[in-house]
Amino acid sequence: MKKFLVAAILAGVSLSASAAETIRFATEAGYAPFEFVGADNKIQGFDIDLANAMCKEMQATCTFTNQSFDSLIPSLKFRRIDAVISGMDITAERLKQVSFTNAYYDNSAIFFAQKGKFTDLASLKGKRVGIQNGTTHQKYLMDKHAEITAVPYDSYQNAVLDLKNGRLDAVFGDTAVVQEFLKQNPSLGTVGDKITDQSYFGSGLGIAVRQNNTELLGKMNDALAKVRQDGTYKTLYTKWFQQ
Ligand code: ARG
């Protein structure tokens, strides 16, 4: 047996297709607390911790790469990656292209601007609002608020920079991410109420896999259920959202 193992290793044969499957995740890591690049240059955040906990459950090796948000679904379809975890809302439109795990987070969206400058969404009429390319925020603005000028960015941080230096009037994003930015920038504040419109943000965040990849989808849903049951999910939720 030992001889066979050595021979197999020398021949470059993968011994462990099932024992140590590799799942290639991609994300856009400019979206704290879901995913961001830490001081050590490593991608971290709630999504990464959750994916790693699920990978441990699946006995899989997981890798994470960072790329633009609007390239994530195309990369999945082209098989460059196996899964997307990126604070991604489960939407009917995306479900035409990919499959999603069960929801792992209840999402909502909110606008923010210089404190006291705008009272409500109506006051943003004709104003420049930053959104990230390929997001539900972009689609929501285009569909529902044609009176607001949507300014697309690849990097959410750059949108916030432009808000701070006056090139934008407001920015629109996921509530938890906005709260994180507000913590770091006390001169900024939210505008209007949280938006939970089901058809855009309401069905929660999910992990996307290719549509025909039912095996991986099943494993992931099992792993997600497991980490919810054993308390890991709760620990991670508290770590990233309740401090
Ligand atoms: N929740 C929004 C969406 O699904 C934005 C997600 C952006 N995520 C990121 N990691 N940049 O479209």
Side-chain angles (χ1 to χ4, degrees):
M1 186 61 192
K2 240 186 188 165
K3 255 188 196 158
F4 167 72
L5 279 178
V6 172
I9 288 164
L10 289 176
V13 173
S14 164
L15 290 170
S16 43
S18 59
E21 176 190 9
T22 297
I23 304 174
R24 298 165 302 169
F25 280 87
T27 190
E28 191 282 316
Y31 217 59
F34 292 106
E35 44 266 331
F36 59 98
V37 179
D40 57 359
N41 256 341
K42 275 201 185 148
I43 305 174
Q44 51 179 282
F46 174 73
D47 282 352
I48 312 306
D49 278 358
L50 179 65
N52 276 324
M54 288 169 58
C55 286
K56 203 170 156 202
E57 214 42 73
M58 296 185 281
Q59 298 186 324
T61 306
C62 290
T63 61
F64 297 90
T65 49
N66 185 8
Q67 58 186 68
S68 72
F69 188 77
D70 61 358
S71 72
L72 292 169
I73 289 181
S75 287
L76 193 57
K77 289 166 82 178
F78 288 130
R79 299 181 169 271
R80 289 197 197 103
I81 54 171
D82 306 303
V84 171
I85 188 159
S86 196
M88 190 176 268
D89 296 304
I90 302 169
T91 65
E93 202 184 326
R94 287 175 180 152
L95 279 167
K96 288 182 198 152
Q97 308 188 61
V98 297
S99 294
F100 281 101
T101 59
N102 297 326
Y104 65 83
Y105 182 90
D106 283 333
N107 202 23
S108 64
I110 199 155
F111 289 81
F112 62 111
Q114 296 296 342
K115 246 184 201 161
K117 207 165 171 199
F118 300 100
T119 43
D120 53 13
L121 288 203
S123 63
L124 289 174
K125 186 175 174 191
K127 301 297 176 193
R128 293 165 55 82
V129 175
I131 34 84
Q132 190 171 41
N133 265 317
T135 59
T136 47
H137 311 113
Q138 181 174 40
K139 185 152 174 36
Y140 182 81
L141 269 196
M142 284 175 7
D143 289 1
K144 301 266 176 171
H145 289 284
E147 79 284 3
I148 295 176
T149 307
V151 185
Y153 286 81
D154 268 338
S155 146
Y156 204 72
Q157 278 93 340
N158 286 345
V160 178
L161 277 182
D162 276 0
L163 174 63
K164 291 206 279 184
N165 60 37
R167 289 198 195 98
L168 285 177
D169 298 299
V171 173
F172 186 34
D174 289 322
T175 305
V177 176
V178 170
Q179 271 157 4
E180 187 71 27
F181 274 111
L182 297 190
K183 252 196 252 163
Q184 286 151 29
N185 300 282
S187 64
L188 305 177
T190 57
V191 181
D193 297 324
K194 278 186 197 169
I195 300 167
T196 51
D197 192 328
Q198 271 284 334
S199 47
Y200 290 88
F201 315 105
S203 33
L205 302 183
I207 300 173
V209 299
R210 266 183 300 284
Q211 253 171 0
N212 53 1
N213 205 348
T214 43
E215 196 191 328
L216 182 58
L217 189 66
K219 276 192 206 168
M220 284 202 180
N221 276 329
D222 288 348
L224 182 58
K226 205 64 187 290
V227 300
R228 276 192 190 272
Q229 277 156 24
D230 71 9
T232 307
Y233 180 92
K234 196 158 185 248
T235 307
L236 296 180
Y237 190 94
T238 310
K239 171 180 171 191
W240 291 106
F241 299 113
Q242 287 174 341
Q243 283 191 52

